[in-house]
Amino acid sequence: MIRILIALVVLALAAPAAQARNASAGELEWSIIIHGGAGVIERGAMDDETEAAYRAALQAALELGGAMLSGGADGVDVVEAVIRTLEDDPLFNAGRGAVFTAEGRVELDASIMAGNSRAAGAVAGVTGVRHPISLARAVMEHSPHVMLIGDGAEAFAAERELETADQAWFFTERRWQGLERQLRNLGLPVPPRPEGAPDPEPIREGALDIMERAHRFGTVGVVAMDTQGVTVAGTSTGGTTAKRWGRVGDTPIIGAGTWADERCGLSATGTGEYFIRFNVAATICHEADRLMIEHGFEAAAQMAADRMMERLEADGGDGGIVMLFVGQPVWAMNTPGMYRASWGERREPYVAIYGDE
């Protein structure tokens, strides 16, 4: 009897994965979910122009991903393309618009993972590659490794002829002013502005969103399920303002900030040290697997995500996640807000910022 029960459980768990592996193009519905960072994002903290800009950026990224997926695009292509647009958008802390280290430079991290094969690639501490997510993909597809860092990652990017950028390209005035404030709070000296950076300019206070003033983190992430049933997750970040000593957070750590398997894909944003300690991304997906027989796919995923957010909060960590579990969108946060958006073949586009949306 016990053997029969075990066999039934195994079959139930394997069914969605088998469906994903065996589906041909168009047989499965596509799905996508995006985040642009979580934090103390409350109504009234941003002026109308800034809020509208964030919503428009999320909507544009969502439309790009949805159009690609509905046309049958591969999930890895979709995740890379959408994250590249967010890396070029100075509103977000990834690529252009990333935060600065205490030494006054941008150090970028990214990762990507394909759920059908568990193939993954990640980079950390990159300073001269325009699109770290593309470099992470190159690591996944064209190297025997999973993670490359610093000078080695830059050398590999050169071999792959990926687009480069100098520090002035990544520079934004609001991130620099955020660095100056943080360094003064820490009693550390303010370094010279990066070579080629524009002259100082005033910033509208309303344009400095409350997440940037109250927190030092921010990340962009995308999870997509393509029409082949393959779930892919990717994440990209500039890390934390005034980080020191080559600090690396959860974003490039497979299992902590990014995870994808046969049923689940997840991208995280928040206080990276806690997400690493709790191996947040993989743990939520595995817990959802454990719970789904009793509670069903969607309820299990939300329950697993909410439990992890509560556990993080109790331990002092904050942030949020977006995930697809068997294509169903789930998000959870223990902060007042998170920039997020989702869409699916039979779902209307959804864009939100605040926790009560």
Side-chain angles (χ1 to χ4, degrees):
M1 184 66 180
I2 293 176
R3 290 182 179 178
I4 294 174
L5 289 174
I6 291 173
L8 290 173
V9 169
V10 169
L11 286 171
L13 290 172
Q19 182 189 33
R21 286 193 299 270
N22 296 329
S24 59
E27 287 185 356
L28 291 181
E29 297 179 4
W30 57 267
S31 187
I32 186 170
I33 191 164
I34 298 169
H35 74 76
V40 185
I41 312 170
E42 298 172 320
R43 294 186 185 279
M46 292 181 282
D47 61 23
D48 292 342
E49 182 179 347
T50 302
E51 180 177 331
Y54 274 107
R55 291 185 185 274
L58 291 167
Q59 182 69 35
L62 194 66
E63 290 177 358
L64 171 62
M68 292 181 69
L69 288 166
S70 64
D74 176 81
V76 173
D77 290 339
V78 173
V79 169
E80 180 190 13
V82 175
I83 290 182
R84 281 171 64 99
T85 67
L86 297 173
E87 288 176 336
D88 278 346
D89 192 326
L91 287 173
F92 300 101
N93 175 20
R96 191 179 192 192
V99 299
F100 293 94
T101 69
E103 291 74 32
R105 66 178 183 176
V106 165
E107 294 180 359
L108 307 171
D109 308 329
S111 64
I112 190 168
M113 186 172 188
N116 60 329
S117 63
R118 305 291 179 96
V123 294
V126 174
T127 62
V129 177
R130 178 171 174 176
H131 294 293
I133 191 63
S134 295
L135 179 52
R137 178 179 182 175
V139 172
M140 177 176 71
E141 295 181 340
H142 301 290
S143 87
H145 309 301
V146 170
M147 180 184 290
L148 300 180
I149 65 170
D151 292 342
E154 302 274 358
F156 181 70
E159 288 186 18
R160 299 304 307 172
E161 299 182 341
L162 297 182
E163 186 176 2
T164 60
D166 57 25
Q167 287 284 300
W169 159 257
F170 301 113
F171 182 93
T172 57
E173 186 64 36
R174 70 174 187 149
R175 298 300 192 189
W176 188 260
Q177 290 190 17
L179 173 67
E180 291 181 341
R181 287 194 300 271
Q182 184 64 17
L183 290 176
R184 284 194 292 268
N185 291 337
L186 295 172
L188 296 173
V190 176
R193 292 166 74 89
E195 183 178 352
D199 293 334
E201 59 180 289
I203 298 293
R204 292 181 299 108
E205 183 65 15
L208 290 170
D209 61 45
I210 194 67
M211 181 183 75
E212 185 171 41
R213 282 182 270 150
H215 279 262
R216 294 171 291 166
F217 56 76
T219 301
V220 301
V222 177
V223 185
M225 189 180 81
D226 62 26
T227 54
Q228 296 289 335
V230 177
T231 299
V232 180
T235 316
S236 183
T237 191
T240 59
T241 301
K243 61 184 178 181
R244 305 174 71 189
W245 310 299
R247 179 265 187 189
V248 175
D250 64 302
T251 290
I253 308 298
I254 299 301
T258 301
W259 180 258
D261 59 32
E262 291 83 354
R263 284 173 293 279
C264 184
L266 188 148
S267 176
T269 175
T271 311
E273 284 71 15
Y274 290 90
F275 282 68
I276 294 170
R277 292 168 188 155
F278 286 92
N279 201 36
V280 165
T283 298
I284 290 175
C285 284
H286 294 158
E287 179 69 0
D289 270 347
R290 188 184 69 82
L291 294 170
M292 71 178 181
I293 295 299
E294 181 179 356
H295 299 283
F297 295 126
E298 190 169 356
Q302 190 67 62
M303 188 179 302
D306 289 341
R307 286 178 178 179
M308 177 57 76
M309 290 302 104
E310 292 171 1
R311 186 178 181 187
L312 285 175
E313 186 172 13
D315 207 56
D318 50 4
I321 63 93
V322 297
M323 66 186 289
L324 294 179
F325 191 65
V326 196
Q328 297 300 309
V330 174
W331 54 84
M333 69 196 92
N334 59 20
T335 56
M338 177 169 65
Y339 302 111
R340 61 199 187 275
S342 71
W343 194 12
E345 187 168 335
R346 297 181 185 274
R347 290 182 285 107
E348 293 296 317
Y350 169 87
V351 176
I353 296 176
Y354 307 111
D356 58 3
E357 294 186 76

